[in-house]
Amino acid sequence: MKSRKTHRREVYVWELPVRFYHWINAACILVLCVTGFIIADPPAFVISNEAYFNYWFGTARFIHFVVAFVFFFNFIFRLYWGFVGNTFSRWYNYIPYTKRQWKEIWQVIRIDILQVNGRPVYSIGHNALANLIYFSTFLAFLVQCFTGFGLYAKMSQAVFPHLFSWVVPILGGDMVTREIHHFLMWFFILFTMVHIYLVFYHDYIERRGVTSSIIGGWKFIEEEIAEEEEKIQIEAFNKNREKLEEKIEDEKMKQEREEEENERVQNSLS
């Protein structure tokens, strides 16, 4: 009988708000791509009725605009959750500002992309390269929202789209804005294809429940890696606590000095 003996621990990685964001975002991208194709190149239907009896193209545009609002505010929520969520969803993971993160990015490129032999990179959340790529998609989401609402502003009477009316003039007109909007749609399509492939690939290779983790939130992590992550989190917690205690102590000393100064002034006046 063929079997694998590994000591693993269940770790709660993706919180419920992150999972909701992921699936709402996926559904929005699917609908926006389909309706976007229809808007860019409407199919010609031969019908016997008058054209004004068939409002299917208007319906496609309406769906596109409504889902665009859902996509935008879902994205805004994710920006917020990057500040209040657990350690795996925080923004400091997605922006490589430490030497350790850049070292991990290079290690992932060497092993996973260039296929150079070496010690695999095992991260509980995303690895540093994946985080950097996800951060680039967040920037693409932002540009897509700006260009989309910028184009919509010319045909809408609502207040919100007109907040983006400055986008089209800055980019040089409708044509350039539409090209950027269309190009980013293809970026999302290609990203989704690669993303799905890598999820199943790592699920099969690592046996960590990567696919199911975005549904239930839990991953099966090797015991030593989970313990190492715990140590890092405890060290970070202690460091933050020390900084907080120092700040409180400084504030207390500052307050005491101000009270002494006030008392000195009052004594001199009396």
Side-chain angles (χ1 to χ4, degrees), residues 65-241:
F65 298 147
V66 170
V67 175
F69 277 95
V70 176
F71 178 82
F72 178 79
F73 287 106
N74 188 48
F75 175 62
I76 294 298
F77 170 77
R78 183 62 183 89
L79 293 179
Y80 161 75
W81 199 255
F83 295 101
V84 300
N86 67 7
T87 184
F88 306 109
S89 61
R90 293 292 180 106
W91 283 115
Y92 55 71
N93 291 313
Y94 292 86
I95 304 172
Y97 63 94
T98 65
K99 186 177 179 181
R100 182 188 65 80
Q101 286 172 303
W102 284 108
K103 184 178 179 182
E104 185 175 312
I105 288 171
W106 173 238
Q107 192 176 357
V108 174
I109 291 172
R110 286 179 69 253
I111 296 169
D112 285 5
I113 299 176
L114 301 179
Q115 297 293 301
V116 177
N117 289 331
R119 183 177 178 270
V121 177
Y122 291 117
S123 302
I124 295 180
H126 299 306
N127 62 57
L129 179 60
N131 279 327
L132 180 60
I133 293 171
Y134 285 128
F135 182 69
S136 70
T137 62
F138 290 146
L139 295 178
F141 289 161
L142 200 60
V143 176
Q144 190 75 330
C145 290
F146 275 44
T147 54
F149 284 117
L151 292 167
Y152 184 43
K154 287 190 174 183
M155 62 191 81
S156 173
Q157 301 298 321
V159 174
F160 182 77
H162 284 274
L163 298 176
F164 302 88
S165 58
W166 53 270
V167 174
V168 174
I170 282 182
L171 293 178
D174 285 353
M175 188 64 185
V176 177
T177 308
R178 289 182 188 279
E179 288 295 325
I180 294 172
H181 198 70
H182 188 76
F183 169 78
L184 286 174
M185 179 192 69
W186 282 106
F187 168 79
F188 295 138
I189 291 172
L190 294 174
F191 170 81
T192 302
M193 293 167 63
V194 175
H195 174 68
I196 292 172
Y197 164 74
L198 288 176
V199 165
F200 285 110
Y201 170 79
H202 283 284
D203 204 357
Y204 175 75
I205 296 296
E206 297 174 358
R207 308 285 181 174
R208 287 170 144 209
V210 175
T211 306
S212 62
S213 68
I214 202 60
I215 298 173
W218 297 85
K219 278 188 176 183
F220 307 102
I221 306 300
E222 294 80 357
E223 190 68 35
E224 60 273 16
I225 295 174
E227 288 178 358
E228 186 179 344
E229 180 65 26
E230 275 187 347
K231 289 178 183 177
I232 293 172
Q233 290 189 19
I234 290 171
E235 288 176 4
F237 174 79
N238 290 334
K239 191 178 294 184
N240 290 333
R241 186 178 64 181

Side-chain angles (χ1 to χ4, degrees), residues 42-69:
F45 292 114
V46 178
I47 53 177
S48 59
N49 296 329
E50 292 292 336
Y52 58 80
F53 286 128
N54 297 275
Y55 195 66
W56 68 267
F57 186 70
T59 302
R61 285 165 58 86
F62 175 75
I63 293 172
H64 190 81
F65 298 147
V66 170
V67 175
F69 277 95

